[in-house]
Amino acid sequence: MDFFTSHDGLQLACHVSGDGPPVVCLPGGPMQASAYLGDLGGLSAHRRLIMADLRGTGRSAVPPDIASYRCDRLVDDVEALREHLGLDRMDLLSHSGGTNLAVLYAARHPERVGRLVLVAPSVAAVGVRITEEVRRETARLREGEPWFPEAFAALEKVMSGQATGDAFQAIAPFWYGRWDGTAQAHKAAEDEQRNNEAAAVFGAEGAFAPDATRAALTRFTSPVLLLAGEVDLNSPPAAVAEVAALFPRAELVVQAGAGHFPWLDDAGRFVATTSAFLRQVPR
């Protein structure tokens, strides 16, 4: 555990594990404590992982101003962490909702990023649209699963805006490549790790300016890895490919059989892909 002070005096936490060159890891949720990332399937055997608890999550302090939870304002916390670590340039890995923060950081501070890894990325910051039909097509890849009929019916309710809490629970198996005990325990821990008040502010009005961000990313020349799960309902590969096309030097990898948490579905493949990319020398 390490603590640092951000630009506004708030004390923030990060969890450090593993050996090797550092890589800063930004969790998703949005606004979920970094604990759910674990050690990213064993990536800590190859790199020193700096797992950030964003403000108001995990061991980080709660800010007096909840507006500071907005994604664009969190960029300053990431910069404060880089300064605390004494890194001129840092490798940055992010997951899901946290990829919005990583993309905004890269757009604002391109010279500070060595390599950028976007795992199961959100598309909000860059304005990519995921249609309901793409989500249905992705969901139908799981038709052979015993839980599929109930989950697919619940998905239709979610997409029509008629969902209850039970419907959101019923679609949970879609987020994982295998709905086994490990996946169920991972999902069960989510509620206590997530700051719902912060999550409601994360993407509030003004958080994202997709046109400006897309323009900035065309000038981002560091290497980028986008890793999509083949059956990820949240971040379908077709949408992730659109995000990859925004970068001059992007590599898209689709992990077979993986859902939204690919390090849980096939740790060996995830670590091999990610560690190989992080060994590349940025130009």
Side-chain angles (χ1 to χ4, degrees):
M1 177 75 69
D2 191 11
F3 291 91
F4 64 101
T5 302
S6 193
H7 63 98
D8 58 354
L10 199 70
Q11 189 175 62
L12 303 180
C14 57
H15 306 260
V16 182
S17 64
D19 297 309
V23 57
V24 172
C25 304
L26 304 179
M31 304 308 289
Q32 188 170 341
S34 63
Y36 83 94
L37 295 171
D39 72 343
L40 289 170
L43 186 59
S44 60
H46 303 265
R47 299 296 296 253
R48 181 161 58 97
L49 304 182
I50 315 294
M51 301 284 194
D53 279 344
L54 303 180
R55 57 177 55 213
T57 70
R59 297 292 300 277
S60 289
V62 174
D65 177 12
I66 66 168
S68 68
Y69 288 135
R70 211 173 70 175
C71 185
D72 59 320
R73 295 183 62 177
L74 294 174
V75 170
D76 291 333
D77 289 344
V78 180
E79 177 63 357
L81 175 55
R82 182 196 64 78
E83 292 175 348
H84 170 74
L85 296 171
L87 298 173
D88 182 57
R89 301 178 83 194
M90 62 182 174
D91 291 341
L92 192 58
L93 181 150
S94 56
H95 173 247
S96 189
T99 64
N100 294 304
L101 177 54
V103 164
L104 293 189
Y105 182 86
R108 193 181 303 177
H109 300 286
E111 74 286 356
R112 298 303 188 186
V113 181
R115 305 165 192 82
L116 178 63
V117 181
L118 306 176
V119 180
S122 168
V123 298
V126 294
V128 169
R129 180 171 175 264
I130 305 175
T131 67
E132 291 184 359
E133 190 50 42
V134 166
R135 295 201 195 276
R136 288 190 185 95
E137 290 173 3
T138 307
R140 289 190 182 107
L141 296 173
R142 315 296 297 279
E143 281 185 316
E145 304 281 356
W147 46 260
F148 178 82
E150 179 184 0
F152 192 78
L155 176 64
E156 291 289 4
K157 290 182 179 179
V158 170
M159 292 194 298
S160 68
Q162 300 175 358
T164 63
D166 288 344
F168 283 102
Q169 284 295 112
I171 66 172
F174 280 124
W175 308 129
Y176 298 87
R178 295 185 306 275
W179 188 234
D180 56 13
T182 298
Q184 291 170 36
H186 191 262
K187 179 63 178 175
E190 183 178 288
D191 287 344
E192 65 184 31
Q193 295 171 346
R194 190 167 185 245
N195 182 331
N196 290 319
E197 180 183 50
V201 177
F202 181 84
E205 184 177 357
F208 305 126
D211 290 344
T213 300
R214 291 164 75 105
L217 296 182
T218 65
R219 301 185 293 272
F220 182 75
T221 57
S222 293
V224 184
L225 171 66
L226 297 98
L227 198 154
E230 179 188 19
V231 297
D232 184 0
L233 188 65
N234 186 80
S235 309
V240 179
E242 287 190 54
V243 180
L246 301 175
F247 294 92
R249 296 180 61 197
E251 174 186 357
L252 171 64
V253 174
V254 179
Q255 185 171 312
H260 198 55
F261 306 93
W263 64 91
L264 290 180
D265 296 322
D266 188 337
R269 182 170 297 182
F270 175 84
V271 170
T273 299
T274 307
S275 60
F277 171 78
L278 289 170
R279 287 195 296 270
Q280 293 182 20
V281 178
R283 291 202 300 264

